[in-house]
Amino acid sequence: MQWQTNLPLIAILRGIPPKDAIAHVGAIIEAGFDAIEIPLNSPEWEKSIPAILDAYGDKALIGAGTVLKPEQVNQLADMGCKLIVTPNIQPEVIRRAVSFGMTVCPGCATATEAFTALDAGAQSLKIFPSSTFGPTYIKALKAVLPPDIPIFAVGGVTPENLKQWIEAGCTGAGLGSDLYRANQSIERTATQAAAFVKAYREAVE
């Protein structure tokens, strides 16, 4: 099963306010990203997500993170979101998102959770928090998972350590605080986005 974008790095813009969303997403896309999530515990996400979809929906896979309830999936589908990322395994959330034709990347930690997500229709998995488990754990977990399922490391991934996650068998990574922190400058976002793109390309050479 192929990941849906050219660059398998998901930008996680947790805490971004609507007034900053367009500019920061633009900088990230300019660096080469084509998958963006706004977590639903960000301020006024109901404004940020539609604005980003309107501006960049034809350039990137855009959606929401920290999606916990099927009702939220309905709301996001109405906005036109194409990506749903969760921190946990809630089968009904996964099934609902799949029914709308969305790409779903649910968070899991164990083989039981991973297979529960796949049984519900998830097309990819994120191992969260990856920094707690480490690359060796992910490599062991991948041994029992279907080989064609894209696996993303999320939590503690930096440009400096991205390569170790790729070498452990991850397709890519979800990038949070090392890419974007609330209220940081556009310049910082652009610099970090470029560093992650460079690190990924070097890791897969």
CSV table of all heavy atoms in Angstrom, one decimal, residues 53-111:
chain,number,residue,atom,x,y,z
A,53,LEU,N,-7.0,24.6,3.6
A,53,LEU,CA,-7.6,23.8,2.5
A,53,LEU,C,-7.9,24.7,1.2
A,53,LEU,O,-7.6,24.3,0.1
A,53,LEU,CB,-8.9,23.1,2.9
A,53,LEU,CG,-8.7,21.9,3.8
A,53,LEU,CD1,-10.0,21.5,4.5
A,53,LEU,CD2,-8.2,20.7,3.0
A,54,ASP,N,-8.4,25.9,1.5
A,54,ASP,CA,-8.7,26.8,0.4
A,54,ASP,C,-7.4,27.2,-0.3
A,54,ASP,O,-7.4,27.3,-1.5
A,54,ASP,CB,-9.5,28.0,1.0
A,54,ASP,CG,-10.0,28.9,-0.2
A,54,ASP,OD1,-10.7,28.4,-1.1
A,54,ASP,OD2,-9.6,30.1,-0.1
A,55,ALA,N,-6.4,27.5,0.5
A,55,ALA,CA,-5.1,28.0,-0.1
A,55,ALA,C,-4.3,27.0,-0.7
A,55,ALA,O,-3.6,27.2,-1.7
A,55,ALA,CB,-4.4,28.8,1.0
A,56,TYR,N,-4.2,25.8,-0.1
A,56,TYR,CA,-3.2,24.8,-0.5
A,56,TYR,C,-3.8,23.4,-0.7
A,56,TYR,O,-3.0,22.4,-0.9
A,56,TYR,CB,-2.1,24.7,0.6
A,56,TYR,CG,-1.4,26.0,0.8
A,56,TYR,CD1,-1.5,26.7,2.0
A,56,TYR,CD2,-0.6,26.6,-0.2
A,56,TYR,CE1,-0.9,27.9,2.2
A,56,TYR,CE2,0.1,27.8,0.0
A,56,TYR,CZ,-0.1,28.4,1.3
A,56,TYR,OH,0.6,29.6,1.5
A,57,GLY,N,-5.1,23.3,-0.8
A,57,GLY,CA,-5.7,21.9,-0.9
A,57,GLY,C,-5.3,21.2,-2.2
A,57,GLY,O,-5.4,20.0,-2.2
A,58,ASP,N,-4.9,22.0,-3.2
A,58,ASP,CA,-4.5,21.3,-4.5
A,58,ASP,C,-3.0,21.0,-4.5
A,58,ASP,O,-2.5,20.4,-5.5
A,58,ASP,CB,-4.8,22.2,-5.7
A,58,ASP,CG,-4.1,23.6,-5.6
A,58,ASP,OD1,-3.7,24.0,-4.5
A,58,ASP,OD2,-4.0,24.2,-6.7
A,59,LYS,N,-2.3,21.4,-3.4
A,59,LYS,CA,-0.8,21.2,-3.4
A,59,LYS,C,-0.4,20.2,-2.3
A,59,LYS,O,0.8,19.8,-2.4
A,59,LYS,CB,-0.1,22.5,-3.1
A,59,LYS,CG,-0.3,23.6,-4.2
A,59,LYS,CD,0.5,24.9,-3.9
A,59,LYS,CE,0.4,25.9,-5.0
A,59,LYS,NZ,-1.0,26.4,-5.2
A,60,ALA,N,-1.2,19.8,-1.4
A,60,ALA,CA,-0.8,19.0,-0.3
A,60,ALA,C,-2.0,18.2,0.2
A,60,ALA,O,-3.2,18.6,0.0
A,60,ALA,CB,-0.2,19.8,0.8
A,61,LEU,N,-1.7,17.1,0.9
A,61,LEU,CA,-2.7,16.3,1.6
A,61,LEU,C,-2.9,17.0,3.0
A,61,LEU,O,-2.0,17.0,3.8
A,61,LEU,CB,-2.2,14.8,1.8
A,61,LEU,CG,-3.1,13.8,2.4
A,61,LEU,CD1,-4.3,13.5,1.5
A,61,LEU,CD2,-2.3,12.6,2.8
A,62,ILE,N,-4.0,17.6,3.2
A,62,ILE,CA,-4.3,18.4,4.3
A,62,ILE,C,-5.4,17.8,5.2
A,62,ILE,O,-6.4,17.4,4.7
A,62,ILE,CB,-4.6,19.9,3.9
A,62,ILE,CG1,-3.4,20.5,3.2
A,62,ILE,CG2,-5.0,20.7,5.1
A,62,ILE,CD1,-3.6,21.8,2.6
A,63,GLY,N,-5.2,17.9,6.5
A,63,GLY,CA,-6.2,17.4,7.4
A,63,GLY,C,-5.9,17.7,8.8
A,63,GLY,O,-5.3,18.7,9.1
A,64,ALA,N,-6.4,16.8,9.7
A,64,ALA,CA,-6.4,17.1,11.1
A,64,ALA,C,-5.7,16.0,11.9
A,64,ALA,O,-5.7,14.8,11.5
A,64,ALA,CB,-7.8,17.3,11.6
A,65,GLY,N,-5.2,16.4,13.0
A,65,GLY,CA,-4.6,15.4,14.0
A,65,GLY,C,-5.4,15.5,15.3
A,65,GLY,O,-6.2,16.4,15.5
A,66,THR,N,-5.0,14.6,16.2
A,66,THR,CA,-5.7,14.5,17.5
A,66,THR,C,-7.2,14.3,17.3
A,66,THR,O,-8.0,15.0,18.0
A,66,THR,CB,-5.3,15.6,18.4
A,66,THR,OG1,-3.9,15.9,18.3
A,66,THR,CG2,-5.6,15.2,19.9
A,67,VAL,N,-7.6,13.6,16.3
A,67,VAL,CA,-9.0,13.3,16.0
A,67,VAL,C,-9.4,12.1,16.9
A,67,VAL,O,-8.9,11.0,16.8
A,67,VAL,CB,-9.2,13.0,14.5
A,67,VAL,CG1,-10.7,12.7,14.3
A,67,VAL,CG2,-8.7,14.1,13.7
A,68,LEU,N,-10.4,12.4,17.8
A,68,LEU,CA,-10.8,11.4,18.8
A,68,LEU,C,-12.2,10.8,18.6
A,68,LEU,O,-12.5,9.7,19.1
A,68,LEU,CB,-10.7,12.0,20.2
A,68,LEU,CG,-9.3,12.6,20.6
A,68,LEU,CD1,-9.4,13.3,21.9
A,68,LEU,CD2,-8.3,11.5,20.6
A,69,LYS,N,-13.1,11.5,17.9
A,69,LYS,CA,-14.5,11.1,17.8
A,69,LYS,C,-15.0,11.0,16.4
A,69,LYS,O,-14.6,11.8,15.5
A,69,LYS,CB,-15.4,12.1,18.6
A,69,LYS,CG,-15.0,12.2,20.1
A,69,LYS,CD,-15.8,13.3,20.7
A,69,LYS,CE,-15.4,13.4,22.2
A,69,LYS,NZ,-16.2,14.5,22.9
A,70,PRO,N,-15.9,10.1,16.1
A,70,PRO,CA,-16.5,10.0,14.8
A,70,PRO,C,-17.2,11.3,14.3
A,70,PRO,O,-17.1,11.7,13.1
A,70,PRO,CB,-17.5,8.9,14.9
A,70,PRO,CG,-17.0,8.0,16.0
A,70,PRO,CD,-16.4,9.0,17.0
A,71,GLU,N,-17.8,12.0,15.3
A,71,GLU,CA,-18.4,13.3,15.0
A,71,GLU,C,-17.4,14.3,14.4
A,71,GLU,O,-17.8,15.1,13.6
A,71,GLU,CB,-19.1,13.8,16.2
A,71,GLU,CG,-20.3,13.0,16.7
A,71,GLU,CD,-19.8,11.8,17.5
A,71,GLU,OE1,-18.6,11.8,18.0
A,71,GLU,OE2,-20.5,10.8,17.6
A,72,GLN,N,-16.2,14.3,14.9
A,72,GLN,CA,-15.2,15.2,14.4
A,72,GLN,C,-14.8,14.8,13.0
A,72,GLN,O,-14.6,15.7,12.2
A,72,GLN,CB,-13.9,15.1,15.3
A,72,GLN,CG,-14.2,15.7,16.7
A,72,GLN,CD,-13.0,15.4,17.6
A,72,GLN,OE1,-12.3,14.4,17.5
A,72,GLN,NE2,-12.8,16.3,18.6
A,73,VAL,N,-14.8,13.5,12.7
A,73,VAL,CA,-14.5,13.1,11.3
A,73,VAL,C,-15.6,13.7,10.4
A,73,VAL,O,-15.3,14.2,9.3
A,73,VAL,CB,-14.5,11.6,11.2
A,73,VAL,CG1,-14.2,11.1,9.8
A,73,VAL,CG2,-13.4,11.0,12.1
A,74,ASN,N,-16.9,13.6,10.8
A,74,ASN,CA,-17.9,14.2,9.9
A,74,ASN,C,-17.7,15.6,9.6
A,74,ASN,O,-17.8,16.1,8.5
A,74,ASN,CB,-19.3,14.0,10.7
A,74,ASN,CG,-19.7,12.6,10.8
A,74,ASN,OD1,-19.2,11.7,10.2
A,74,ASN,ND2,-20.7,12.3,11.7
A,75,GLN,N,-17.3,16.4,10.7
A,75,GLN,CA,-17.1,17.8,10.6
A,75,GLN,C,-15.9,18.1,9.6
A,75,GLN,O,-16.0,19.0,8.8
A,75,GLN,CB,-16.8,18.4,11.9
A,75,GLN,CG,-16.8,19.9,12.0
A,75,GLN,CD,-16.6,20.5,13.4
A,75,GLN,OE1,-16.5,19.7,14.4
A,75,GLN,NE2,-16.5,21.8,13.5
A,76,LEU,N,-14.9,17.3,9.8
A,76,LEU,CA,-13.7,17.5,8.9
A,76,LEU,C,-14.0,17.1,7.5
A,76,LEU,O,-13.5,17.7,6.5
A,76,LEU,CB,-12.5,16.7,9.5
A,76,LEU,CG,-12.0,17.2,10.9
A,76,LEU,CD1,-11.2,16.1,11.6
A,76,LEU,CD2,-11.2,18.5,10.7
A,77,ALA,N,-14.8,16.1,7.3
A,77,ALA,CA,-15.1,15.7,5.9
A,77,ALA,C,-15.9,16.8,5.2
A,77,ALA,O,-15.7,17.1,4.0
A,77,ALA,CB,-16.0,14.4,5.9
A,78,ASP,N,-16.8,17.4,6.0
A,78,ASP,CA,-17.6,18.5,5.4
A,78,ASP,C,-16.7,19.7,5.0
A,78,ASP,O,-17.0,20.4,4.0
A,78,ASP,CB,-18.6,19.0,6.4
A,78,ASP,CG,-19.8,18.1,6.6
A,78,ASP,OD1,-20.0,17.2,5.8
A,78,ASP,OD2,-20.5,18.2,7.7
A,79,MET,N,-15.6,19.9,5.7
A,79,MET,CA,-14.6,20.9,5.3
A,79,MET,C,-13.8,20.6,4.1
A,79,MET,O,-13.2,21.5,3.5
A,79,MET,CB,-13.6,21.1,6.5
A,79,MET,CG,-14.2,21.8,7.7
A,79,MET,SD,-12.9,21.9,9.0
A,79,MET,CE,-13.9,22.7,10.3
A,80,GLY,N,-13.7,19.3,3.8
A,80,GLY,CA,-12.9,18.8,2.7
A,80,GLY,C,-11.6,18.2,3.0
A,80,GLY,O,-10.7,18.1,2.2
A,81,CYS,N,-11.4,17.9,4.3
A,81,CYS,CA,-10.1,17.3,4.7
A,81,CYS,C,-9.9,15.9,4.1
A,81,CYS,O,-10.9,15.2,3.8
A,81,CYS,CB,-10.1,17.1,6.3
A,81,CYS,SG,-9.9,18.6,7.2
A,82,LYS,N,-8.6,15.6,3.8
A,82,LYS,CA,-8.3,14.4,3.2
A,82,LYS,C,-7.4,13.5,4.1
A,82,LYS,O,-7.2,12.3,3.7
A,82,LYS,CB,-7.5,14.6,1.9
A,82,LYS,CG,-8.3,15.4,0.8
A,82,LYS,CD,-9.5,14.7,0.4
A,82,LYS,CE,-10.2,15.5,-0.7
A,82,LYS,NZ,-11.5,14.9,-1.1
A,83,LEU,N,-7.0,14.0,5.2
A,83,LEU,CA,-6.0,13.3,6.1
A,83,LEU,C,-6.6,13.3,7.5
A,83,LEU,O,-6.9,14.4,8.0
A,83,LEU,CB,-4.6,13.9,6.0
A,83,LEU,CG,-3.6,13.4,7.0
A,83,LEU,CD1,-3.2,11.9,6.7
A,83,LEU,CD2,-2.3,14.2,7.0
A,84,ILE,N,-6.6,12.2,8.2
A,84,ILE,CA,-7.0,12.1,9.6
A,84,ILE,C,-5.9,11.4,10.3
A,84,ILE,O,-5.5,10.2,10.0
A,84,ILE,CB,-8.3,11.3,9.7
A,84,ILE,CG1,-9.5,12.0,9.0
A,84,ILE,CG2,-8.6,11.0,11.2
A,84,ILE,CD1,-9.9,13.3,9.7
A,85,VAL,N,-5.4,12.0,11.4
A,85,VAL,CA,-4.4,11.4,12.2
A,85,VAL,C,-4.9,11.4,13.6
A,85,VAL,O,-5.5,12.3,14.1
A,85,VAL,CB,-3.1,12.3,12.1
A,85,VAL,CG1,-1.9,11.6,13.0
A,85,VAL,CG2,-2.6,12.4,10.7
A,86,THR,N,-4.7,10.2,14.3
A,86,THR,CA,-5.2,10.1,15.7
A,86,THR,C,-4.0,9.7,16.6
A,86,THR,O,-3.0,9.2,16.1
A,86,THR,CB,-6.3,9.0,15.7
A,86,THR,OG1,-5.6,7.7,15.7
A,86,THR,CG2,-7.3,9.1,14.6
A,87,PRO,N,-4.2,10.0,17.9
A,87,PRO,CA,-3.2,9.6,18.8
A,87,PRO,C,-3.4,8.2,19.4
A,87,PRO,O,-2.5,7.6,20.1
A,87,PRO,CB,-3.3,10.6,20.0
A,87,PRO,CG,-4.7,10.9,20.0
A,87,PRO,CD,-5.2,10.8,18.5
A,88,ASN,N,-4.6,7.6,19.1
A,88,ASN,CA,-5.0,6.3,19.7
A,88,ASN,C,-5.7,5.5,18.6
A,88,ASN,O,-5.9,5.9,17.5
A,88,ASN,CB,-5.9,6.6,20.9
A,88,ASN,CG,-7.2,7.3,20.5
A,88,ASN,OD1,-7.3,7.9,19.5
A,88,ASN,ND2,-8.2,7.1,21.4
A,89,ILE,N,-6.1,4.3,19.0
A,89,ILE,CA,-6.9,3.4,18.1
A,89,ILE,C,-8.4,3.5,18.6
A,89,ILE,O,-8.7,2.9,19.6
A,89,ILE,CB,-6.4,2.0,18.1
A,89,ILE,CG1,-4.9,2.0,17.7
A,89,ILE,CG2,-7.2,1.1,17.2
A,89,ILE,CD1,-4.6,2.6,16.4
A,90,GLN,N,-9.2,4.1,17.7
A,90,GLN,CA,-10.6,4.1,17.9
A,90,GLN,C,-11.2,3.6,16.6
A,90,GLN,O,-11.3,4.4,15.6
A,90,GLN,CB,-11.1,5.6,18.2
A,90,GLN,CG,-12.6,5.8,18.3
A,90,GLN,CD,-13.3,4.8,19.2
A,90,GLN,OE1,-13.8,3.8,18.7
A,90,GLN,NE2,-13.3,5.1,20.5
A,91,PRO,N,-11.6,2.3,16.6
A,91,PRO,CA,-12.0,1.8,15.3
A,91,PRO,C,-13.1,2.5,14.5
A,91,PRO,O,-13.1,2.6,13.3
A,91,PRO,CB,-12.5,0.3,15.7
A,91,PRO,CG,-11.6,0.0,16.9
A,91,PRO,CD,-11.5,1.3,17.6
A,92,GLU,N,-14.0,3.1,15.3
A,92,GLU,CA,-15.1,3.8,14.6
A,92,GLU,C,-14.7,5.1,14.0
A,92,GLU,O,-15.1,5.4,12.9
A,92,GLU,CB,-16.3,4.1,15.6
A,92,GLU,CG,-17.5,4.7,14.9
A,92,GLU,CD,-18.0,3.9,13.7
A,92,GLU,OE1,-18.0,2.7,13.7
A,92,GLU,OE2,-18.4,4.6,12.7
A,93,VAL,N,-13.7,5.7,14.6
A,93,VAL,CA,-13.1,6.9,13.9
A,93,VAL,C,-12.4,6.5,12.6
A,93,VAL,O,-12.6,7.2,11.6
A,93,VAL,CB,-12.1,7.6,14.9
A,93,VAL,CG1,-11.2,8.6,14.1
A,93,VAL,CG2,-12.8,8.2,16.0
A,94,ILE,N,-11.7,5.4,12.6
A,94,ILE,CA,-11.0,4.9,11.4
A,94,ILE,C,-12.0,4.5,10.4
A,94,ILE,O,-11.9,5.0,9.2
A,94,ILE,CB,-10.1,3.7,11.8
A,94,ILE,CG1,-9.0,4.1,12.7
A,94,ILE,CG2,-9.5,3.1,10.5
A,94,ILE,CD1,-8.2,3.0,13.3
A,95,ARG,N,-13.0,3.8,10.7
A,95,ARG,CA,-14.0,3.3,9.8
A,95,ARG,C,-14.7,4.5,9.1
A,95,ARG,O,-15.0,4.6,7.9
A,95,ARG,CB,-15.0,2.4,10.4
A,95,ARG,CG,-14.4,1.0,10.6
A,95,ARG,CD,-15.5,0.0,11.0
A,95,ARG,NE,-16.0,0.2,12.3
A,95,ARG,CZ,-15.5,-0.4,13.4
A,95,ARG,NH1,-14.6,-1.3,13.3
A,95,ARG,NH2,-16.0,-0.2,14.6
A,96,ARG,N,-15.1,5.5,10.0
A,96,ARG,CA,-15.8,6.7,9.5
A,96,ARG,C,-14.9,7.4,8.5
A,96,ARG,O,-15.4,7.8,7.4
A,96,ARG,CB,-16.2,7.6,10.6
A,96,ARG,CG,-17.1,8.7,10.3
A,96,ARG,CD,-18.5,8.3,10.0
A,96,ARG,NE,-19.1,7.6,11.1
A,96,ARG,CZ,-19.7,8.1,12.1
A,96,ARG,NH1,-19.9,9.4,12.2
A,96,ARG,NH2,-20.3,7.3,13.1
A,97,ALA,N,-13.7,7.6,8.8
A,97,ALA,CA,-12.8,8.4,7.9
A,97,ALA,C,-12.6,7.6,6.6
A,97,ALA,O,-12.6,8.2,5.5
A,97,ALA,CB,-11.4,8.6,8.6
A,98,VAL,N,-12.4,6.3,6.7
A,98,VAL,CA,-12.2,5.5,5.4
A,98,VAL,C,-13.5,5.6,4.6
A,98,VAL,O,-13.4,5.7,3.3
A,98,VAL,CB,-11.9,4.0,5.8
A,98,VAL,CG1,-12.0,3.1,4.6
A,98,VAL,CG2,-10.5,4.0,6.4
A,99,SER,N,-14.7,5.6,5.2
A,99,SER,CA,-15.9,5.7,4.4
A,99,SER,C,-16.0,7.0,3.6
A,99,SER,O,-16.7,7.0,2.6
A,99,SER,CB,-17.1,5.6,5.4
A,99,SER,OG,-17.3,6.8,6.1
A,100,PHE,N,-15.3,8.0,4.1
A,100,PHE,CA,-15.3,9.3,3.4
A,100,PHE,C,-14.2,9.4,2.4
A,100,PHE,O,-14.0,10.4,1.7
A,100,PHE,CB,-15.2,10.5,4.4
A,100,PHE,CG,-16.4,10.8,5.2
A,100,PHE,CD1,-16.4,10.7,6.5
A,100,PHE,CD2,-17.6,11.1,4.5
A,100,PHE,CE1,-17.5,11.0,7.3
A,100,PHE,CE2,-18.7,11.4,5.2
A,100,PHE,CZ,-18.7,11.4,6.6
A,101,GLY,N,-13.4,8.3,2.3
A,101,GLY,CA,-12.3,8.3,1.3
A,101,GLY,C,-11.0,9.0,1.8
A,101,GLY,O,-10.2,9.4,1.0
A,102,MET,N,-10.9,9.2,3.1
A,102,MET,CA,-9.8,9.9,3.7
A,102,MET,C,-8.6,8.9,3.9
A,102,MET,O,-8.8,7.7,4.1
A,102,MET,CB,-10.2,10.5,5.0
A,102,MET,CG,-11.2,11.6,5.0
A,102,MET,SD,-11.9,12.0,6.6
A,102,MET,CE,-12.4,13.7,6.4
A,103,THR,N,-7.4,9.5,3.9
A,103,THR,CA,-6.2,8.8,4.4
A,103,THR,C,-6.2,8.8,5.9
A,103,THR,O,-6.2,9.9,6.5
A,103,THR,CB,-5.0,9.4,3.7
A,103,THR,OG1,-5.1,9.3,2.3
A,103,THR,CG2,-3.7,8.7,4.2
A,104,VAL,N,-6.0,7.7,6.5
A,104,VAL,CA,-6.0,7.6,8.0
A,104,VAL,C,-4.7,7.1,8.5
A,104,VAL,O,-4.2,6.1,8.0
A,104,VAL,CB,-7.2,6.7,8.5
A,104,VAL,CG1,-7.3,6.9,10.0
A,104,VAL,CG2,-8.5,7.0,7.8
A,105,CYS,N,-4.1,7.8,9.4
A,105,CYS,CA,-2.8,7.4,10.0
A,105,CYS,C,-3.0,7.4,11.6
A,105,CYS,O,-2.8,8.4,12.2
A,105,CYS,CB,-1.7,8.4,9.6
A,105,CYS,SG,-0.1,7.8,10.1
A,106,PRO,N,-3.5,6.3,12.1
A,106,PRO,CA,-3.8,6.3,13.6
A,106,PRO,C,-2.6,5.9,14.4
A,106,PRO,O,-1.7,5.2,13.9
A,106,PRO,CB,-4.9,5.2,13.7
A,106,PRO,CG,-4.5,4.2,12.5
A,106,PRO,CD,-4.0,5.1,11.4
A,107,GLY,N,-2.5,6.4,15.6
A,107,GLY,CA,-1.4,6.2,16.5
A,107,GLY,C,-1.5,4.9,17.3
A,107,GLY,O,-2.6,4.6,17.8
A,108,CYS,N,-0.5,4.1,17.3
A,108,CYS,CA,-0.5,2.8,18.0
A,108,CYS,C,0.9,2.6,18.6
A,108,CYS,O,1.8,3.2,18.3
A,108,CYS,CB,-0.9,1.7,17.1
A,108,CYS,SG,0.3,1.4,15.7
A,109,ALA,N,0.9,1.6,19.6
A,109,ALA,CA,2.2,1.3,20.2
A,109,ALA,C,2.5,-0.2,20.2
A,109,ALA,O,3.6,-0.6,20.3
A,109,ALA,CB,2.1,1.8,21.7
A,110,THR,N,1.4,-1.0,20.1
A,110,THR,CA,1.6,-2.4,20.2
A,110,THR,C,1.1,-3.1,19.0
A,110,THR,O,0.4,-2.6,18.2
A,110,THR,CB,0.8,-3.0,21.4
A,110,THR,OG1,-0.6,-2.8,21.2
A,110,THR,CG2,1.2,-2.3,22.7
A,111,ALA,N,1.5,-4.4,18.8
A,111,ALA,CA,1.0,-5.2,17.7
A,111,ALA,C,-0.5,-5.3,17.7
A,111,ALA,O,-1.2,-5.3,16.7
A,111,ALA,CB,1.6,-6.6,17.7
